[in-house]
Amino acid sequence: MGQLTDTTALITGASRGIGAATARLLAAEGAHVLVNYRDKAKRANAVVDAITGAGGSAAAVQADITAAADLDRLFAGIERLDVLVLNASGGLEKDVDPDYALRLNRDAQVDLAARALPLLPKGGRIVYVTSHQAHFAATEELAVYAPVARSKRAGEDALLAMLPEFTARGVDFVTVSGDMIEGTITATLLERAQPGTIAQRREAAGGLLTVEQFAQHVADAAVADLETGAVVLAGGPGAWARD
Ligand SMILES: NC(=O)c1ccc[n+]([C@@H]2O[C@H](COP(=O)([O-])OP(=O)(O)OC[C@H]3O[C@@H](n4cnc5c(N)ncnc54)[C@H](OP(=O)(O)O)[C@@H]3O)[C@@H](O)[C@H]2O)c1
């Protein structure tokens, strides 16, 4: 029996990358996984098919998390939630307005947590996924990522400010932060904007985690015995080491 049997987990931005890998891991622990995506239905359905093909349970749920009407529809379809993984993130996309990163990485995260809270039982958990650059506000290293890093740090701070509300309902809040992750679209975009970035991060961090390795930290954080408010540092300096 998995640790998440008879539970439901909603993972935002689970159509690809770290979110998709986390969805597979939580489903393998027995959770019914809600695979949220914004646009890429085909990819989200492929994640669901991989999970159900392996004997798990999952459903794809479309919602642009910055759109209140989408969140209304999403939450109208959820009766119970045990784990919320706040994974979806962005701001490096072309043609987005200057406020988009803050709307997505701060405001939408707070909106999601507030809507999820009444559904989460005592012992439920919210996991916020972030990057070391954002968590440590190390914005001087990667200029192109700085606005995203600032918005993600603002998101983390806004969620931490909700800690008393979470605690009042017996819901735990955990942050998982990672260095650059090998093989992600974000790493590719940053390398394109600032050539040499991946090699520089690899050297600085003493090796970078893969998507699967980082997702394992996120999935572990959904069930591990951690204090509320804990920050799991995955990979890089000060790592919460995993062999
Ligand atoms: N990549 C890294 O090097 C790295 C390092 C440390 C931490 N992280 C963190 O890990 C998390 C995932 O990163 P990733 O690189 O796997 O992301 P990614 O490949 O860019 O995937 C982003 C996901 O978020 C979804 N998404 C984007 N905007 C959305 C919106 N407005 N509403 C709903 N969904 C939205 C996308 O859905 P569609 O496909 O449908 O558009 C996609 O599923 C992020 O929190 C990131 O900060 C990443």
Side-chain angles (χ1 to χ4, degrees):
M1 292 273 273
Q3 294 192 71
L4 291 171
T5 302
D6 293 330
T7 68
T8 298
L10 168 62
I11 307 173
T12 62
S15 57
R16 72 179 193 200
I18 294 149
T22 303
R24 288 191 293 268
L25 290 166
L26 294 184
E29 282 299 328
H32 171 60
V33 177
L34 299 173
V35 174
N36 163 247
Y37 66 99
R38 175 189 46 181
D39 295 321
K40 305 290 188 300
K42 224 171 152 178
R43 283 194 203 145
N45 286 329
V47 175
V48 168
D49 288 348
I51 289 171
T52 53
S57 174
V61 287
Q62 191 282 330
D64 177 338
I65 61 168
T66 64
D70 283 16
L71 291 186
D72 289 346
R73 178 172 36 75
L74 173 68
F75 278 92
I78 303 175
E79 280 174 15
R80 178 195 168 136
L81 200 58
D82 299 275
V83 176
L84 169 66
V85 180
L86 296 170
N87 167 80
S89 174
L92 287 174
E93 301 90 335
K94 271 189 243 156
D95 307 326
V96 291
D97 67 73
D99 295 335
Y100 179 70
L102 262 182
R103 286 208 310 279
L104 174 58
N105 298 326
R106 182 193 60 192
D107 303 343
Q109 312 303 320
V110 169
D111 198 357
L112 277 157
R115 288 171 188 257
L117 203 50
L119 300 176
L120 288 160
K122 201 169 173 338
R125 186 165 289 188
I126 299 173
V127 179
Y128 178 63
V129 183
T130 192
S131 62
H132 286 353
Q133 287 95 328
H135 177 70
F136 294 113
T139 48
E140 67 291 340
E141 283 182 34
L142 261 171
V144 67
Y145 183 74
V148 177
R150 276 194 285 272
S151 65
K152 285 185 72 73
R153 180 67 233 193
E156 188 177 338
D157 290 341
L159 289 164
L160 280 171
M162 295 174 79
L163 210 53
E165 279 174 70
F166 300 154
T167 303
R169 294 195 65 100
V171 169
D172 295 329
F173 173 73
V174 175
T175 296
V176 181
S177 177
D179 206 301
M180 185 173 280
I181 307 300
E182 292 277 9
T184 57
I185 306 282
T186 305
T188 305
L189 289 176
L190 294 176
E191 177 71 22
R192 204 174 290 156
Q194 222 164 294
T197 294
I198 295 178
Q200 187 267 328
R201 287 312 314 158
R202 230 181 247 141
E203 193 179 350
L208 301 180
L209 298 183
T210 63
V211 168
E212 287 300 327
Q213 286 170 325
F214 186 54
Q216 187 69 61
H217 285 282
V218 178
D220 285 352
V223 293
D225 189 11
L226 295 164
E227 291 274 312
T228 191
V231 179
V232 173
L233 299 178
W240 183 68
R242 252 191 98 83
D243 295 326

